[in-house]
Amino acid sequence: MRTAPAGIRLVKEANNPWYEVTLIEGRNREIRRMFEKVGHLSKKSSAVRYGPLKLDVPPGEFRALTRREVDRLQTACNKPMAGAKPSMA
């Protein structure tokens, strides 16, 4: 299965290098499989953003989204805001 292109950037060069990977559409274990294809073992990964949202809450915690975050999500999903009248365009 083909997916959208991914961006990759070396963050820290060392015996155990760190990379930043940007996916447009993420599939199950996609990053791990990409690294295995080029002969690298992926030991750990963590998401830092999901679409327009920065994942800044510790595991097991939660917080309410700001109005701006909700607006950005709705824009990213191309969905009208709640209570908005559909356009006739």
Side-chain angles (χ1 to χ4, degrees):
M1 176 180 286
R2 287 189 77 100
T3 61
I8 188 163
R9 180 176 75 91
L10 178 63
V11 175
K12 177 183 160 190
E13 190 167 347
N15 287 338
N16 184 20
W18 285 60
Y19 294 94
E20 179 182 279
V21 180
T22 303
L23 299 177
I24 302 301
E25 54 178 318
R27 304 278 186 201
N28 191 27
R29 298 183 184 89
E30 180 177 2
I31 293 173
R32 183 167 292 151
R33 289 184 184 129
M34 287 169 37
F35 276 79
E36 286 174 358
K37 277 280 195 203
V38 295
H40 291 286
L41 176 64
S42 172
K43 292 183 180 179
K44 262 202 275 192
S45 65
S46 63
V48 294
R49 280 188 40 208
Y50 188 82
L53 298 179
K54 183 177 180 183
L55 305 178
D56 57 357
V57 180
E61 299 292 322
F62 66 93
R63 67 170 176 79
L65 296 177
T66 65
R67 183 69 215 165
R68 185 173 182 194
E69 289 171 327
V70 172
D71 290 344
R72 285 180 170 179
L73 279 173
Q74 289 173 327
T75 299
C77 295
N78 293 320
K79 294 189 178 187
M81 295 188 23
K85 295 181 181 181
S87 67
M88 295 299 200

